[in-house]
């Protein structure tokens, strides 16, 4: 095990001596199209549009990089059983911390295309439920873990990322669960 670690460290140093080093910092923000899927029959779920804003960084060599992010986000979803019965909405705010691994597919001077994937760790800061229903906000989890993946394009100092997020259970009642799915569009600019 020690030899594998030593070889990995030596490989990184060898690649970094001949490869381009990556170090970027920036701000980003965008929109979320978020939906909570309930494992209950006869319920319809609809996506809601929310927002996110925060910061990101990139560290790596050549075509491979690590992109940690931290941002404040709002997510949720609408649900209904029958238009005559009831309808409502899940709404929550969180601080999300994705740790994304990236690969550059195209690396020109002005244009870059990349793929991203990795875990996201969410910490719920506010939660609410609206509508006439049997749900209770005490069943909201205070934190969650999910998976983000997607693609992006950089033009000069601007960046555009399109990502999908699949989270674990955000709402955990005794008889059913609710999981979050979010499509994110982020626009950012690199400061460094």
């Amino acid at each position: 095990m020690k030899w594998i670690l030593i070889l990995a460290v030596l490989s990184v140093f060898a690649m970094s001596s001949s490869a381009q080093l990556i170090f970027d910092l920036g701000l980003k923000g965008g929109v979320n199209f978020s939906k909570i899927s309930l494992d209950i029959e006869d319920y319809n779920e609809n996506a809601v549009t929310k927002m996110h804003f925060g910061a990101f960084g990139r560290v790596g060599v050549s075509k491979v990089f690590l992109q940690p992010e931290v941002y404040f986000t709002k997510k949720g979803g609408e649900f209904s059983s029958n238009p005559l019965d009831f309808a409502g909405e899940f709404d929550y705010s969180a601080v999300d911390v994705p740790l994304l691994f990236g690969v550059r597919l195209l690396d020109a001077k002005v244009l870059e295309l990349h793929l991203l994937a990795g875990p996201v760790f969410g910490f719920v800061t506010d939660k609410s439920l609206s509508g006439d229903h049997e749900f209770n906000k005490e069943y909201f989890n205070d934190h969650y873990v999910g998976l983000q993946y997607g693609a992006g394009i950089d033009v000069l100092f601007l960046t555009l990322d399109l990502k999908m997020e699949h989270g674990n259970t955000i709402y955990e009642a005794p008889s059913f669960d609710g999981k979050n799915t979010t499509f994110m569009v982020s626009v950012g600019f690199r400061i460094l």
Side-chain angles (χ1 to χ4, degrees), residues 132-189:
D132 179 25
H133 49 73
E134 61 195 54
F135 303 119
N136 189 327
K137 74 178 185 176
E138 76 180 41
Y139 295 124
F140 260 108
N141 288 332
D142 292 330
H143 52 83
Y144 55 90
V145 176
L147 173 68
Q148 283 188 2
Y149 56 90
I153 184 169
D154 292 354
V155 178
L156 296 174
F157 61 91
L158 297 174
T159 182
L160 171 70
D161 287 337
L162 306 174
K163 296 185 292 189
M164 208 54 209
E165 178 183 312
H166 297 281
N168 68 347
T169 304
I170 186 68
Y171 188 84
E172 200 167 3
S175 57
F176 65 93
D177 292 336
K179 294 184 179 182
N180 185 37
T181 304
T182 304
F183 177 70
M184 304 174 69
V185 178
S186 302
V187 176
F189 62 94

Side-chain angles (χ1 to χ4, degrees), residues 47-126:
V48 295
T49 303
K50 303 286 183 178
M51 58 180 249
H52 64 274
F53 60 91
F56 72 97
R58 284 190 192 148
V59 179
V61 286
S62 193
K63 295 190 177 288
V64 180
F65 60 91
L66 180 65
Q67 181 170 309
E69 301 178 352
V70 60
Y71 47 82
F72 178 76
T73 184
K74 294 180 101 22
K75 298 179 184 175
E78 295 178 343
F79 60 90
S80 62
S81 173
N82 179 329
L84 300 176
D85 288 337
F86 60 83
E89 184 174 338
F90 287 94
D91 189 25
Y92 66 99
S93 302
V95 174
D96 279 357
V97 183
L99 186 57
L100 304 170
F101 300 94
V103 176
R104 289 179 170 178
L105 301 176
L106 173 66
D107 187 11
K109 295 272 186 209
V110 181
L111 179 71
E112 173 192 314
L113 298 173
H114 56 265
L115 297 177
L116 298 165
V120 58
F121 306 95
F123 306 93
V124 177
T125 59
D126 188 33

